[in-house]
Amino acid sequence: MPRSFVAKVANPEETFSRLKQWADANGYAIRGNAAEGTFRGTPSGIAGLLIGEISGAYAVSGNSVAIQVYKDLPEGAVANALSKYGLRLIKAE
């Protein structure tokens, strides 16, 4: 399961705001700014029970955001969670 993800949005001016919406809705606290930072939190629901706390870092560049987490996460679940906020997963490693 991957630990690194890259997602894109259609409008570069919305990249950080979409990331922040995703983080807020999924219980993650962001520390940082529109260019880079860290996040930490426990997802709600069954994911939170199964996976527990997730922490990582992000870096925004243009209309893409690179997300590095410190746990193995299922690619499909990450893609679904991001897509709800206009972030399209384009790479997972």
Side-chain angles (χ1 to χ4, degrees):
M1 285 194 267
R3 290 183 177 214
S4 297
F5 304 91
V6 177
K8 285 194 172 189
V9 299
N11 183 351
E13 294 176 9
E14 297 178 353
T15 307
F16 182 69
S17 65
R18 300 261 183 180
L19 177 68
K20 181 123 175 64
Q21 289 171 359
W22 166 77
D24 291 344
N26 287 285
Y28 302 118
I30 287 185
R31 298 180 98 186
N33 56 37
E36 62 184 36
T38 60
F39 63 92
R40 176 181 300 273
T42 304
S44 61
I46 293 192
L49 294 173
L50 295 175
I51 297 172
E53 184 177 83
I54 297 171
S55 61
Y58 68 89
V60 174
S61 177
N63 70 334
S64 66
V65 58
I67 302 169
Q68 176 75 39
V69 295
Y70 303 117
K71 284 188 176 185
D72 294 336
L73 297 176
E75 182 177 344
V78 171
N80 287 338
L82 292 171
S83 71
K84 292 177 185 177
Y85 300 93
L87 293 155
R88 182 175 48 93
L89 184 64
I90 60 166
K91 185 176 179 183
E93 298 179 326

